Amino acid sequence: MFIREMAKRVHLSEDTLRYYEKIGLLAHVPRDAGGHRVYGEVEIEEVQKIVYLKASGLSLNDIRNYLELMQRGKEGKEQQHILLLATQKTLLRKMVELQQSLKKINQLLYTRHQTCMTAGSQTVPE
């Protein structure tokens, strides 16, 4: 498939796909005789892995490092594990922060609701 179909399939822009190739996240995307990129199952899996890692909070540099570590043997697997543990720790910290923020918002909403009810309003303004 060409870049337009690939972009639609993985929900990224064509520019993003080109950028990922330019910075080395997508290595060696094959091209046809006309020089157009041709994406196959291997490239789809690579892009999906990048998207997943990015959504997990890794920077593009960390993703590049992770993908490079995949190419190494046992040493690479150990370093991958360390990187993933650090990412897990960061995500857990962010989850706690988000839970605390949500608790504060819920308290504010409850207080606002109580204020409206005390004032005699049957509905809470939006």
Side-chain angles (χ1 to χ4, degrees):
M1 82 183 69
F2 293 115
I3 195 166
R4 180 165 296 179
E5 294 103 353
M6 178 66 162
K8 287 180 183 177
R9 181 162 180 177
V10 297
H11 308 289
L12 294 173
S13 71
E14 294 174 34
D15 288 338
T16 298
L17 291 171
R18 288 186 197 99
Y19 180 70
Y20 285 175
E21 184 179 357
K22 179 181 177 181
I23 65 172
L25 290 181
L26 278 176
H28 313 294
V29 175
R31 296 181 184 249
D32 66 9
H36 299 97
R37 292 168 179 86
V38 180
Y39 296 88
E41 289 302 316
V42 170
E43 291 76 28
I44 293 169
E45 288 178 23
E46 288 179 12
V47 171
Q48 289 173 334
K49 191 179 301 178
I50 292 166
V51 169
Y52 176 76
L53 292 169
K54 193 167 186 300
S56 297
L58 279 110
S59 68
L60 294 179
N61 283 335
D62 285 340
I63 293 170
R64 183 183 307 107
N65 291 338
Y66 181 86
L67 296 173
E68 288 171 0
L69 290 170
M70 289 180 69
Q71 303 301 317
R72 299 182 189 174
K74 184 178 179 181
E75 174 190 339
K77 290 186 185 292
E78 291 172 10
Q79 291 176 346
Q80 279 180 310
H81 187 72
I82 291 167
L83 178 61
L84 291 176
L85 284 174
T87 302
Q88 179 188 47
K89 182 178 179 180
T90 300
L91 290 172
L92 288 170
R93 180 183 46 78
K94 287 180 181 179
M95 283 176 52
V96 168
E97 290 170 1
L98 286 171
Q99 288 171 336
Q100 290 170 347
S101 295
L102 181 60
K103 183 177 179 181
K104 288 178 183 178
I105 291 295
N106 286 339
Q107 289 170 343
L108 289 171
L109 285 169
Y110 177 77
T111 301
R112 183 170 181 242
H113 177 76
Q114 291 300 327
T115 301
C116 289
M117 296 305 284
T118 302
S121 173
Q122 295 296 323
T123 60
V124 178
E126 294 185 30

